[in-house]
Amino acid sequence: MSPIDLLSSFSAWNTHRKAQVQSGNSPSSASGTDSQTLQKAIESLLKGFLEKLIKDLSGQQGSGSSGGSGGGSPSPSPAPSPAPSVSPSPAAAPSSGPSPAPSPGAATPAPAPTPTQAPAPTAAAPTPDPSTITNAPKPSPTPAPPPPTEVGSGGKAPATAPSAAPTPAPSPSTNSAVTKPPANMKVAEPTGVEEVNKPIIVKAGTTYDGQGKLFNAGAGLNGGGTAETQLPMFILEPGASIKNLQFKGGDGIHLLGDAKLDNVHGLQTGDDFVTVDGAENKAVDAQRAGISAKDLPSGPAQVEITNSSFQNSHDKAIQINGDVNLKLQGIYADNIGQLAVTRGGYPITANVDISDSTLQNLKAFTFRFDSKHSTVNISNTDVDGGKTPVNVMAGDPSKMHGAGSVRQSVQTVG
């Protein structure tokens, strides 16, 4: 019999008893035996009802703690209070039950409420054992710390952020930023003036900084008084550099091999401003420098001339007597014969790149190369503001790129 059926039977019997008492038809004391028997039956029914109720409640709470996704305990069904003057036998509650059963004999006589009037007992939900929870949500992993804010991006780097690896310092360079010179460029006033009477030797791998001074050729560089016999003002050993100076007179700067010239300005010369040595020049200049010509490297020299100018010469600015890869950038030339030439009729290969340069008042060709193997690449360079084409004479005109006019050399070799 279900708990509801038991409650219905008990309610019907109680109603019948009240009707008998009110009508005076209640059993007499002689029927006490029947009353005791009936009372025991009621006690047995109540005891069974309470045991089943506690068992059902325990089962409902157990299933709520071990199953389902929400893990909540369902509310137990309402249990009626004990009948008046009835002391049910104690019912042993399971160890996992939510609350103990009423103590025997503790009930106070009171009218038995109907099932709908019975107060619902409050059962404390047991704390679930973590080991029995199968569908419990997994704890969220500890979030990774945010990356450090880059300095300069508008935020501040966290105090615990590791320091950024230091940026290696750039390699020293003799070249400054290169811009195309304007027409009629004026060289700045020198910071001082020095007279030179014997060649200044710039050792291999070193840089000579003129600090903006003007170097004038003295009587010691005349070499007999003719242009072809003048001595050079500077001799650069292979791998040497020179920068930040002006010079006037003598035979300019002689190069024994690789070299860099930056912010170097030739103001006037009777012959050439820069000479790339060939075999004959190397032997003489090596002796002047105090080194052996046999120790000089072979192969074309790697020469770079930037932010420099050449003015006022009846002949060449750059004389090429040996094979060279020549880079010219940011060059200004005014009132000179030609910018660069190879020794006439010799199989000398010159590979030249010129860019961002301004030339004016040239007396002849910009370049004159007799070897069929020489090449020229010209970009962002003009003569007389574009009024005069960039004229080139070459052993192989097809290897001259960017020129306005190219002529076949009359001394083609190779």
Side-chain angles (χ1 to χ4, degrees):
M1 178 178 294
S2 67
I4 296 177
D5 293 338
L6 289 174
L7 288 173
S8 299
S9 299
F10 176 74
S11 178
W13 175 81
N14 190 41
T15 302
H16 177 71
R17 286 281 298 168
K18 288 181 179 182
Q20 286 182 336
V21 172
Q22 293 176 358
S23 62
N25 294 329
S26 58
S28 63
S29 59
S31 61
T33 302
D34 293 337
S35 298
Q36 292 179 358
T37 303
L38 181 59
Q39 182 174 344
K40 290 181 179 180
I42 292 173
E43 291 177 354
S44 177
L45 287 174
L46 287 176
K47 178 180 178 181
F49 165 72
L50 291 175
E51 290 178 347
K52 183 170 181 59
L53 179 61
I54 293 173
K55 183 176 181 181
D56 290 342
L57 289 175
S58 300
Q60 290 176 0
Q61 291 180 353
S63 63
S65 63
S66 60
S69 60
S73 300
S75 301
S77 300
S81 300
S85 68
V86 176
S87 300
S89 301
S95 59
S96 60
S99 59
S103 302
T108 303
T114 61
T116 57
Q117 296 174 337
T122 302
T127 302
D129 184 354
S131 62
T132 63
I133 299 176
T134 57
N135 296 326
K138 298 181 180 180
S140 301
T142 303
T149 305
E150 295 182 1
V151 176
S153 62
K156 294 182 179 180
T160 57
S163 300
T167 304
S171 301
S173 173
T174 62
N175 297 342
S176 56
V178 176
T179 58
K180 184 178 180 179
N184 302 316
M185 186 193 80
K186 301 297 182 182
V187 178
E189 290 295 321
T191 58
V193 179
E194 289 191 15
E195 184 177 296
V196 180
N197 287 292
K198 65 178 181 179
I200 299 172
I201 310 302
V202 184
K203 304 302 291 184
T206 65
T207 298
Y208 186 92
D209 188 346
Q211 301 179 348
K213 296 179 181 180
L214 170 61
F215 293 81
N216 277 328
L221 297 183
N222 285 339
T226 65
E228 294 298 331
T229 60
Q230 289 179 342
L231 300 178
M233 187 173 294
F234 295 91
I235 298 176
L236 274 59
E237 294 184 4
S241 299
I242 190 171
K243 65 179 182 180
N244 303 329
L245 59 86
Q246 305 169 25
F247 67 96
K248 181 187 292 185
D251 199 34
I253 303 170
H254 286 197
L255 310 178
L256 283 168
D258 297 353
K260 290 185 178 181
L261 286 71
D262 182 57
N263 196 28
V264 173
H265 303 278
L267 304 183
Q268 182 275 328
T269 183
D271 193 12
D272 310 319
F273 288 107
V274 177
T275 300
V276 178
D277 282 350
E280 297 177 9
N281 302 101
K282 283 184 178 181
V284 175
D285 284 336
Q287 183 179 11
R288 291 169 177 163
I291 60 177
S292 173
K294 296 180 180 179
D295 296 331
L296 298 177
S298 59
Q302 308 297 321
V303 178
E304 184 176 312
I305 304 176
T306 55
N307 303 308
S308 300
S309 66
F310 311 104
Q311 303 181 59
N312 305 313
S313 172
H314 74 280
D315 207 347
K316 301 88 57 183
I318 304 171
Q319 174 67 45
I320 300 174
N321 294 331
D323 293 348
V324 66
N325 295 321
L326 175 61
K327 177 181 179 181
L328 303 171
Q329 188 175 18
I331 302 300
Y332 177 77
D334 181 28
N335 190 31
I336 62 173
Q338 301 172 88
L339 183 60
V341 302
T342 56
R343 186 175 181 180
Y346 281 72
I348 298 169
T349 300
N351 298 307
V352 179
D353 287 280
I354 182 171
S355 62
D356 307 317
S357 298
T358 300
L359 316 175
Q360 57 191 38
N361 299 318
L362 300 182
K363 298 179 176 66
F365 297 97
T366 303
F367 301 108
R368 195 200 75 210
F369 302 141
D370 297 331
S371 172
K372 292 182 179 179
H373 304 294
S374 294
T375 63
V376 170
N377 291 291
I378 304 170
S379 63
N380 194 28
T381 296
D382 59 69
V383 179
D384 299 326
K387 298 177 181 179
T388 303
V390 180
N391 295 319
V392 177
M393 179 179 284
D396 185 350
S398 67
K399 295 180 180 178
M400 305 294 111
H401 304 287
S405 173
V406 182
R407 290 178 57 184
Q408 181 72 46
S409 173
V410 295
Q411 293 180 293
T412 298
V413 294

